[in-house]
Amino acid sequence: MTTETFEFQVEARQLLQLMIHSVYSNKDVFLRELVSNASDALDKLRLEKLRDDSLDADVSDLHIALDVDKEARTLTVRDNGIGMSYDEVGQLIGTIANSGTATFLQELKEAKDAAGAEGLIGQFGVGFYSGFMAADEVTLVTRRAGEGQGTRWTSRGEATYTLERVDDAPQGTSVTLHLKPADPENQLHDYTSEWTIREIVKRYSDFITWPIRMVPETRDGEDAPGPETLNSMKALWARSRAEVSDDEYHELYKHISHDWREPLETIRLQAEGTFEYQALLFVPSHAPHDLFTRDFKRGVQLYVKRVFIMDDCEALLPPYLRFVKGVVDAQDLSLNVSREILQQDRHIRMMQRRLTKKVLSTVKEFMAKDADRYATFWREFGTALKEGLVTDSENRDAILAVSSFATTHSADEPTTLAQYVERMKDGQDDIWFITGESRQSIENSPHMEAFRDKGIEVLLLTDAVDEVWVDAVGAYEGKKLRSVAKGEIDLDAEGAQKAGEEREKQAEEYAGLLGWMRERLDEDIKEVRLSTRLTVSPACIVSDAHDLTPALENMYRAMGQEVPRTKRILELNPGHPLVKGLHEAYRASEDRTELAESAELLHTLAVLAEGGQPKDPARFVRLVADRLERTL
């Protein structure tokens, strides 16, 4: 058959060089990854056969085999699973562009220690390439179940790889590693040693539900033994807690999640009665790099009576808990269940409700008993969890109870809404918040001036989802959630009557200027009024109480939803010298050409102060330069 040679992409070559020169301290990782891939291939074949009984594939003895040749110094990991076609080998093995290689390399550079680097290997789907840590050359032979012809892939991990069609390939995939010499100083063990292989399988892959077989070594004069199964194949979720060590749970988590870090928490759940199921869930200790991308694979593994059914069953947990990994084993579902059926199944909905409540109660325990673990959880997954405040009204109170937010009360410690309410000033009826891109920018916002002067606490919300959930929640314990940048604000409760009379007098005095500016800036604003929230800045831009914020408008447009542009309100600080001077100039002059430019500049400065952009940057620069020139 014709052998074709292909070049690796640039990022793939860089990755392979890292593997070969091994930035990883634990080289044993490669065997666990290859066994894990083989297990996935067996799961996929059994599932395919369930769905299509006409598939020409042998499923009578699905297993993983480890073959050692001491003389040739090769180790082969073989499965009789789903296999790959010629095109799939090119797509999945020949290139790793779709595995986020560039991001992998960037995060690898940023990893501060060896453990952090090792945590990336499975996370980015590049486990197959870990074989080059232990091998000078890797050969893969595969045939997809139901097809007549196989494929051979070979590479030394340098610039190229070869692809060749072969006729005599068995069903499934075999990966043969031409091993490097053992190098104990660099933790490169002798992977032709039966003891080493047994130890690695026991440590990393004991729970895998398929038999992992190896023919034991024989001494001279002994009969050749048959293959021996190295793993126990016991489902950890079906064993009592006393029988399973934390290390075993952690290895199952790593197998499921392809994350080499230990989980933050292990959650066990067993339901008995009319509908029985067992669940073993894991809360990771770090958010995956693609948690907020559209392609993120969410959902836990679904088994029915220990038979693997689905790898990422989205129906078992809501989207805002997509970071949770684990296994659910149901006793009363059909083996031939589809995603569409799951979405409508009453039992699945019951399971989702209970699993969701269990995860949220676990987070509540973090908050009550382990501040460090709660802080880790909220830092990594708080943004995702807050999505549930919008989408899951049934559990909204439970989510609010475990949510915390940055606040002006402390530069370091976040606060809960319950803590905020406890600290509210006498006479304060509302929970105040402000949204923006960063804490620094919103703390320095003109909207905060009056609140800062009066010592009123404000929640500082900087996640995109914060723009949405505050409207969905609306209130907490009877206290309205109010934005400091929307609507009219009156913080002077004690002197309300006196302040009101003074404002009325100012409004009459400034009525001419306000009306004139409203006409001049008509394209951009719908009202000009005097401000009660400004104490230092001359002006600010605010939204009406029920209008969309600019950030929310931009969010909808980014999602492809057209929303009408909302005109906003310009507020002026009558105590600021610039506004006083503008008022005096308006009353003193009939020719208001320059005054119009000053009004335009004042509006643009207010837009800039809240993090917006000038409508016409070139004109703004020209006007500012002209004013500066006159002052010299």
Side-chain angles (χ1 to χ4, degrees), residues 77-210:
V77 180
R78 180 181 293 108
D79 68 74
N80 54 351
I82 192 70
M84 289 176 281
S85 66
Y86 184 90
D87 289 340
E88 285 173 330
V89 172
Q91 292 166 7
L92 301 174
I93 305 297
T95 176
I96 43 180
N98 58 359
S99 299
T101 317
T103 310
F104 174 91
L105 294 169
Q106 181 62 34
E107 293 211 6
L108 188 58
K109 291 174 185 174
E110 294 173 0
K112 292 183 171 57
D113 51 36
E118 286 172 17
L120 300 173
I121 187 170
Q123 186 179 346
F124 284 84
V126 294
F128 170 79
Y129 296 90
S130 62
F132 285 99
M133 292 192 294
D136 291 319
E137 181 176 295
V138 177
T139 300
L140 175 142
V141 177
T142 184
R143 176 171 66 82
R144 185 171 181 81
E147 294 189 0
Q149 195 172 54
T151 305
R152 180 183 288 113
W153 179 99
T154 304
S155 177
R156 294 187 62 83
E158 296 168 351
T160 62
Y161 61 92
T162 62
L163 278 180
E164 176 186 5
R165 298 182 191 274
V166 293
D167 289 330
D168 56 351
Q171 168 189 305
T173 301
S174 68
V175 180
T176 299
L177 308 175
H178 300 266
L179 296 167
K180 297 175 181 178
D183 184 358
E185 287 187 8
N186 289 317
Q187 296 190 25
L188 185 62
H189 301 126
D190 180 5
Y191 298 110
T192 65
S193 161
E194 179 184 329
W195 180 88
T196 298
I197 292 173
R198 284 178 180 274
E199 195 273 332
I200 293 172
V201 170
K202 186 68 178 174
R203 182 169 13 122
Y204 293 131
S205 308
D206 189 60
F207 54 84
I208 283 180
T209 53
W210 303 106

Side-chain angles (χ1 to χ4, degrees), residues 49 58 62 77 91 98 111 184 187 205 220 231 243 287 345 397 401 438 490 554 561 571 575 593 624:
K49 188 69 173 177
D58 181 9
L62 299 179
V77 180
Q91 292 166 7
N98 58 359
Q187 296 190 25
S205 308
D220 293 340
N231 59 321
E243 294 178 21
D345 190 276
D397 289 344
S438 68
D490 186 358
N554 293 335
Q561 299 182 33
E571 287 193 352
T593 305
V624 172

Side-chain angles (χ1 to χ4, degrees), residues 448-469:
M448 295 283 289
E449 292 174 1
F451 293 87
R452 189 160 44 242
D453 279 4
K454 295 184 180 295
I456 296 175
E457 185 176 354
V458 178
L459 302 178
L460 308 172
L461 309 179
T462 55
D463 293 325
V465 68
D466 293 330
E467 296 281 353
V468 185
W469 75 258

Side-chain angles (χ1 to χ4, degrees), residues 48 77 95 111 141 166 186 189 251 301 307 395 412 414-415 417 442 444 461 509 587 589 597:
E48 195 74 20
V77 180
T95 176
V141 177
V166 293
N186 289 317
H189 301 126
E251 290 309 323
Q301 293 184 349
V307 176
N395 291 298
D412 305 309
T415 192
L417 292 186
I442 57 181
N444 294 327
L461 309 179
E509 184 182 348
R587 295 173 63 182
S589 174
E597 290 181 351

